[in-house]
Amino acid sequence: MELILSKFTKRFGATTVISEMDLHVGAGEMLALLGPSGCGKSTTLFAICGIHRMDGGSLHFGDRDVTTLPAQRRSVKVVFQNYALYPHMSVSDNIAFPLRVKRHDRATITRKVGAIAELVHIGELLDRKPAQLSGGQQQRVALARAMVREPDVLLLDEPLANLDAKLRLEMRTEIRRVQRETGITAILVTHDQVEAMSMCDRIALMRAGQIEQLATPVQMYENPANQFVAGFMGNPPISFLPAHLGERITLSGGNSLPRPDRLAGQGPITLGLRPEHLGPQFGQGLRGTITFVEPQGREDLIDVRLTGGEALRAILPSGHGHAIGDSVDWGVRGDRLLAFSTDGERI
Amino acid sequence: MSRTAAVPGLRIWHLVAVLSAMSAPLVIMYAFQIIDSVASPAPGALWPTGFDLNNWRFLWESVDSGRPGIWQVTFNTFVFASVTSLSVCAFSLTAAYALSRLNFPARRFFLAGLIVLHAFPTITLIIAIFIILQYLGLYDTLAGVILVKAALELPFGIWIMKGFYDTVPWEIEMAGVQDGASRFRVWWSLVLPQVQPGLAALLIISFLSGWSEFVLPLVLAPGAGAQVLATYMNAVIASETTQDFGLFKAIGMFYTRPVIVIYLIFQKRLMNIYGGGTKG
Ligand SMILES: Nc1ncnc2c1ncn2[C@@H]1O[C@H](COP(=O)(O)OP(=O)(O)OP(=O)(O)O)[C@@H](O)[C@H]1O
Ligand SMILES: [Mg+2]
């Protein structure tokens, strides 16, 4: 089911948290709402599910206008960060609760609970209480309870935040698998860009109540709309350097790079360089000293201080033979170099 | 457990000795309360001379022709204590939920008022209450005393229940609403089960408080129709004609028995009230 949010505005008292936001999620799509803490992700989510009233704008599920519909009558489900399982009920009662509320008959309930438990792989846990489950298992139960009545839209509010690193990886694929198998439209709220990139079809990157860019993970990574987006996406993060755009791109300390043809204009710019686009394999141009080498197993993170004093980060496959203190003269991959005007817009 | 406890038990024998010495007077008092209630009086002597059930005669005959029999009074006390505790629980459950979860005008005022009332010496209100009851025509009726007692217990009850509600995660209610349940259904079948330990404790505590209430019935319902056990005992000891301590002790035993039984059964539940809600 398609979800269309248009001109959504939300105020808390006198402060406007979100103003005139538009968002379109296609049927069966999984979209990530990504952004730093306090940017309004949860607020948007709660408006979509009907916990918060909207102060302006409209919300449609398909052709149905649900803007003023109470939460009970919207076909959306939320998986909360702390799972919000009902502690006094067994797993099967937890999953069955939404069906009981709708007065389904007993045979239907048993069948549906069994089927959904099978889908999220918790078939053998049905008689336990939530307190007797691990974090990942509770997560699966919460997912099953949200999915059992086949909602039009599934909302996930930082569902992986409480899990340890290994479980997080596992549940990442699990949630995505369940979403794919059921073809449900889903919105995932997260402030972890790796999670957003790996799980979702598209990402909406938010800042201070605005969507900065809405694109597929690859587009957003390779073609960020502005400096904020470029800085948010990618781990280890992109490095920004002040530079001057003229015949060549000149940096302080006598370093310079050839100017790619696609860049227009002149004057001061901010250069964005991703770690994987810097290194000896791209020729020469940036001279400096290695200040730190951080082995990661497959590859090493290398901090470089340029002759002009700017700090840069590169990522090289292990076995590169460089050590702290070495002088280097490395090049960059020109076609992937990003340039921003001084106010942060992409050039 | 007993094997491991035996060794430290020996090591702290001096603590045990000090504690025993200090609680001995209490134990002796309780012992003589029981002994004297079933013994014939022997003025001046420490040890009673013989076994005698005469002190318990109040159970089958009237000790004072001006007053109702013990069974009528016990029934009154039971009605008084249980109706009080049931209404305290009913109002606390709903009022505390509103204070904990709903946003309504003057909420802060009610919260502050609750704390003030909780700490308020209620006896200072007794004249005003007396006048109000008389005005309402409820003076000298059991219903009137129940009303007053329940009202005075409410701040405590609401405060305790609010504490329990506050520990229930907000997301549980939101999840319930998402699941399609009405706010009432959410409260009834998702929130109430989680404050149930607090409810049980409050029920018992307010029952016991009603059971032992003395001042309110004495002042507000002095007539024969609304006697409770506390005022009944008071009358027995105050009466000039029959100053019978053996009888008084026997009635005292009779009076405290339900309290002891309730404590024995519900000890664990009562401890809950200090522990907060259930951990999910
Ligand atoms: N009930 C409220 N009253 C007033 N302000 C609020 C309320 N709820 C949220 N806000 C404000 O709205 C803004 C957005 O909050 P929101 O919870 O949507 O952030 P978020 O993007 O989910 O952040 P996080 O990643 O930390 O969860 C914040 O600045 C927050 O202070
Ligand atoms: Mg949030």
Side-chain angles (χ1 to χ4, degrees):
Chain A
M1 180 87 55
E2 208 179 20
L3 180 148
I4 305 142
L5 187 64
S6 50
K7 301 221 175 300
F8 163 52
T9 301
K10 178 71 198 171
R11 294 183 208 96
F12 288 113
T15 48
T16 304
V17 175
I18 291 174
S19 70
E20 310 231 321
M21 177 173 139
D22 293 314
L23 184 66
H24 176 258
V25 188
E29 185 182 29
M30 182 144 175
L31 180 112
L33 269 186
L34 177 66
S37 191
C39 69
K41 305 180 296 287
S42 301
T43 308
T44 309
L45 201 77
F46 291 153
I48 292 174
C49 70
I51 293 175
H52 283 340
R53 209 173 296 126
M54 292 167 62
D55 292 316
S58 67
L59 175 64
H60 290 257
F61 291 168
D63 324 318
R64 209 157 67 101
D65 186 348
V66 297
T67 313
T68 54
L69 225 55
Q72 286 96 332
R73 297 185 31 224
R74 298 185 187 189
S75 185
V76 332
K77 279 300 165 59
V78 186
V79 175
F80 292 92
Q81 183 173 337
N82 61 4
Y83 317 136
L85 298 178
Y86 310 135
H88 59 292
M89 295 184 185
S90 70
V91 167
S92 65
D93 286 340
N94 260 283
I95 302 176
F97 185 77
L99 302 173
R100 297 233 165 85
V101 167
K102 287 287 161 200
R103 299 178 191 288
H104 285 271
D105 61 81
R106 199 174 277 196
T108 318
I109 292 180
T110 318
R111 182 170 49 76
K112 287 199 169 173
V113 169
I116 200 82
E118 215 46 58
L119 179 70
V120 300
H121 302 323
I122 48 166
E124 69 289 349
L125 304 173
L126 285 177
D127 296 326
R128 300 225 199 138
K129 287 276 170 65
Q132 301 164 325
L133 300 177
S134 73
Q137 291 167 335
Q138 292 186 16
Q139 173 79 77
R140 287 166 196 265
V141 177
L143 196 59
R145 188 181 66 190
M147 304 279 295
V148 73
R149 233 166 60 194
E150 293 153 26
D152 294 339
V153 177
L154 179 68
L155 306 175
L156 304 136
D157 192 4
E158 310 216 13
L160 307 178
N162 284 345
L163 302 178
D164 65 42
K166 190 161 164 288
L167 254 182
R168 204 175 293 187
L169 274 180
E170 182 186 323
M171 286 313 293
R172 219 152 79 181
T173 25
E174 274 298 288
I175 292 178
R176 183 60 166 158
R177 174 182 66 80
V178 171
Q179 188 267 336
R180 278 242 175 80
E181 279 177 24
T182 53
I184 193 172
T185 307
I187 298 182
L188 170 84
V189 161
T190 175
H191 51 234
D192 179 356
Q193 44 105 11
V194 179
E195 221 169 275
M197 300 220 322
S198 60
M199 287 173 74
C200 296
D201 299 310
R202 286 194 304 159
I203 299 176
L205 183 57
M206 290 181 70
R207 172 168 63 164
Q210 299 281 323
I211 293 184
E212 295 283 325
Q213 188 172 3
L214 178 60
T216 63
V218 174
Q219 276 172 352
M220 193 169 274
Y221 188 75
E222 294 182 349
N223 203 7
N226 55 40
Q227 194 177 340
F228 173 77
V229 177
F232 203 90
M233 305 301 290
N235 183 29
I238 192 169
S239 311
F240 293 115
L241 316 169
H244 188 89
L245 187 59
E247 289 286 287
R248 291 168 67 81
I249 301 175
T250 44
L251 291 90
S252 57
N255 287 316
S256 72
L257 296 167
R259 170 182 180 150
D261 296 335
R262 63 199 157 86
L263 293 186
Q266 342 229 349
I269 58 167
T270 303
L271 201 60
L273 274 181
R274 294 212 183 270
E276 65 271 28
H277 300 144
L278 171 70
Q281 69 271 38
F282 302 116
Q284 273 128 26
L286 297 180
R287 281 166 293 117
T289 329
I290 294 180
T291 55
F292 194 65
V293 178
E294 187 182 319
Q296 303 249 302
R298 194 159 16 99
E299 65 238 338
D300 288 1
L301 296 183
I302 300 176
D303 289 350
V304 179
R305 182 168 298 281
L306 297 185
T307 45
E310 303 95 333
L312 266 182
R313 186 164 256 203
I315 189 161
L316 293 184
S318 324
H320 48 72
H322 294 287
I324 296 180
D326 286 4
S327 294
V328 293
D329 185 359
W330 284 350
V332 301
R333 192 171 152 183
D335 60 331
R336 299 297 294 278
L337 178 152
L338 302 170
F340 305 94
S341 65
T342 41
D343 58 5
E345 287 309 307
R346 179 83 185 277
I347 308 178
Chain B
M1 177 199 151
S2 57
R3 211 185 309 160
T4 48
V7 181
L10 279 178
R11 238 180 263 151
I12 56 164
W13 64 270
H14 47 282
L15 284 182
V16 175
V18 171
L19 282 178
S20 312
M22 282 174 55
S23 33
L26 268 178
V27 175
I28 294 171
M29 261 160 53
Y30 285 130
F32 274 94
Q33 169 86 7
I34 298 169
I35 293 169
D36 283 0
S37 73
V38 292
S40 54
L46 189 57
W47 296 108
T49 47
F51 183 74
D52 185 0
L53 277 178
N54 189 38
N55 286 332
W56 290 85
R57 67 182 182 280
F58 67 89
L59 289 180
W60 52 85
E61 66 189 34
S62 174
V63 288
D64 180 351
S65 51
R67 298 188 170 271
I70 187 78
W71 297 113
Q72 176 63 42
V73 174
T74 308
F75 177 74
N76 283 353
T77 317
F78 182 76
V79 169
F80 175 66
S82 44
V83 175
T84 307
S85 70
L86 285 178
S87 34
V88 165
C89 285
F91 285 108
S92 299
L93 266 189
T94 41
Y97 181 77
L99 281 175
S100 167
R101 285 297 204 271
L102 307 182
N103 198 4
F104 55 90
R107 177 173 173 272
R108 295 185 60 85
F109 168 78
F110 279 110
L111 270 179
L114 210 58
I115 303 172
V116 173
L117 281 179
H118 182 28
F120 204 79
T122 50
I123 196 73
T124 54
L125 296 173
I126 201 92
I127 308 279
I129 292 171
F130 176 86
I131 295 172
I132 294 173
L133 279 193
Q134 199 142 44
Y135 181 75
L136 291 175
L138 288 173
Y139 175 68
D140 209 6
T141 62
L142 204 53
V145 199
I146 288 174
L147 212 60
V148 173
K149 176 69 180 166
L152 294 179
E153 284 280 304
L154 264 183
F156 169 76
I158 296 175
W159 193 249
I160 290 286
M161 288 319 295
K162 179 179 176 294
F164 275 85
Y165 278 125
D166 285 348
T167 64
V168 179
W170 164 92
E171 283 90 351
I172 288 200
E173 279 178 77
M174 267 15 272
V177 168
Q178 295 285 305
D179 285 343
S182 64
R183 281 307 286 262
F184 181 80
R185 170 104 191 239
V186 167
W187 175 70
W188 182 257
S189 51
L190 299 182
V191 180
L192 266 196
Q194 315 206 38
V195 299
Q196 185 262 336
L199 178 63
L202 181 61
L203 198 69
I204 297 163
I205 286 179
S206 52
F207 181 87
L208 292 178
S209 162
W211 187 261
S212 57
E213 181 61 49
F214 169 58
V215 174
L216 292 177
L218 181 75
V219 179
L220 301 175
Q227 288 288 296
V228 293
L229 279 169
T231 53
Y232 182 85
M233 279 187 73
N234 179 56
V236 167
I237 198 70
S239 128
E240 279 142 33
T241 48
T242 56
Q243 272 228 351
D244 188 337
F245 287 109
L247 177 68
F248 185 72
K249 282 177 179 166
I251 302 177
M253 287 293 300
F254 180 76
Y255 182 34
T256 46
R257 187 158 312 171
V259 178
I260 293 169
V261 169
I262 287 175
Y263 263 114
L264 287 180
I265 299 177
F266 295 112
Q267 263 181 33
K268 275 204 186 125
R269 289 269 163 106
L270 286 169
M271 288 303 160
N272 248 326
I273 208 159
Y274 303 108
T278 46
K279 306 282 178 291

